[in-house]
Amino acid sequence: MDTVFITIVHGLNLAAIYGLMAIGISLLWSSIGMINMAHGATFAVSGYAAWLVSDALKATILAAFGKTALGTAATAGVTLATGTLAGAAMGALIYALAFLPIHDKPNFAVRSLIVTLAINLATVQALLWWFGPKQKNLPKIFGTGKVDLGFVSARYDQIGAILSTALILALVLAWLRVSRKGLEIRAMMQNPEGAVLSGISVRRTALPVTMLTGALAGLAAVLLSQTIFVSPTSGAMPLIKGLTIALLGGLGSVPGAVAGAVIIGFLEASIGAIPFLGQRYVLFGTFVFIIAVLIVRPRGIGGLLDEARK
């Protein structure tokens, strides 16, 4: 029974982080028609920015608060804010390099895919040149240890990642539903041509979308780097997972991306917990599952949700 509860907590933790990446990719595709292959570079840059700032302010925070709960909270706030802001800044850079010059050209989707792929490769090489291949450790922003809830125990970083992701996603969804800019983005997602005819500017809408999706990737980088460290290539696997989960959910469907992240998170946790399979079969099992679903349902989970709504 303990293994079941541990698997549930691990699956929720993975689903939270994968969801941040997949939702960003789906939002970008459904609103401005761009598949952002530089999402992995955004992930790595945000991780390094969080590491640099937290390392620079470590002595100051320690002198001000000591090794207290307030000091841990200050470190967590600085690290999370830096990673999120760095991701948003990287999103603005992608907007300037991969959207503005080509968004009104033919075959924008293919052109943007190639440009963002070039940005991703150039960024990884720049990080390798500047920082080298050695991994960097982010501070344990949620502390170390476990909390025992009676029937299940969970690590502080797992609880922090799940709660942080739930809070951020709730704020993002509320912003999309209530704010004027959020309504414009949703109009672009539902009917781009109709939104343009209604006077919504694609240029002005694309910037907040790229910054928002970059910020989500930056948050995912800080949360995931608690366990996998920061390196120039650390964004490669989250990018692949985000893309495949976005495809599983139905590219462009935010609810589908959330459902896909939850399914893949629990699937990976379950495969890893099976003794005769283990971690070495996690990727194989995950991709076999995604391929099987897409063969049966080419529109992914988003197609099922659309049919249910009809």
Side-chain angles (χ1 to χ4, degrees):
M1 187 60 72
D2 288 345
T3 305
V4 173
F5 287 125
I6 291 171
T7 303
I8 291 173
V9 173
H10 186 45
L12 280 174
N13 185 30
L14 291 176
I17 295 166
Y18 293 163
L20 290 173
M21 297 294 287
I23 289 170
I25 291 169
S26 277
L27 265 177
L28 210 55
W29 170 255
S30 58
S31 58
I32 61 176
M34 172 192 284
I35 294 180
N36 183 12
M37 296 300 289
H39 223 50
T42 303
F43 185 98
V45 168
S46 303
Y48 272 105
W51 170 73
L52 283 171
V53 173
S54 62
D55 193 56
L57 296 180
K58 182 178 178 181
T60 304
I61 294 174
L62 194 61
F65 303 106
K67 293 183 178 179
T68 61
L70 202 57
T72 303
T75 303
V78 166
T79 310
L80 285 170
T82 304
T84 305
L85 290 174
M90 190 69 183
L93 180 65
I94 291 168
Y95 169 81
L97 296 178
F99 178 80
L100 273 184
I102 59 172
H103 81 279
D104 55 352
K105 301 288 192 299
N107 297 323
F108 166 69
V110 177
R111 289 170 185 257
S112 62
L113 187 146
I114 294 171
V115 174
T116 53
L117 181 60
I119 293 173
N120 188 72
L121 294 173
T123 305
V124 170
Q125 291 303 313
L127 291 175
L128 273 170
W129 172 75
W130 189 264
F131 294 102
K134 190 176 179 181
Q135 296 175 333
K136 309 295 183 186
N137 298 329
L138 279 180
K140 299 291 184 184
I141 58 176
F142 300 112
T144 56
K146 292 183 178 180
V147 58
D148 193 354
L149 302 175
F151 53 90
V152 62
S153 63
R155 298 196 314 267
Y156 291 158
D157 64 305
Q158 291 175 320
I159 296 174
I162 294 167
L163 294 181
S164 301
T165 302
L167 176 63
I168 293 297
L169 288 184
L171 291 175
V172 169
L173 292 176
W175 179 73
L176 287 173
R177 184 171 293 276
V178 175
S179 70
R180 180 176 177 79
K181 185 56 70 178
L183 292 175
E184 291 180 0
I185 294 172
R186 288 172 58 202
M188 292 290 296
M189 293 169 66
Q190 292 171 3
N191 189 336
E193 294 180 357
V196 171
L197 291 174
S198 301
I200 297 174
S201 169
V202 178
R203 284 194 171 205
R204 286 198 298 271
T205 306
L207 179 58
V209 173
T210 54
M211 293 183 69
L212 172 63
T213 55
L216 293 178
L219 179 63
V222 174
L223 296 178
L224 190 58
S225 296
Q226 302 295 298
T227 51
I228 69 164
F229 310 112
V230 178
S231 73
T233 56
S234 60
M237 191 52 70
L239 170 64
I240 294 171
K241 292 287 181 65
L243 278 171
T244 51
I245 290 172
L247 287 171
L248 174 67
L251 200 54
S253 170
V254 173
V258 174
V262 172
I263 291 171
I264 294 302
F266 279 103
L267 181 65
E268 287 194 4
S270 301
I271 293 174
I274 298 174
F276 60 88
L277 293 178
Q279 292 298 324
R280 64 183 181 278
Y281 287 104
V282 165
L283 276 180
F284 176 76
T286 302
F287 284 108
V288 167
F289 174 79
I290 291 173
I291 291 169
V293 170
L294 292 179
I295 288 174
V296 178
R297 304 287 309 184
R299 290 174 61 196
I301 298 170
L304 283 174
L305 296 176
D306 290 341
E307 289 178 7
R309 278 196 290 270
K310 291 176 182 177

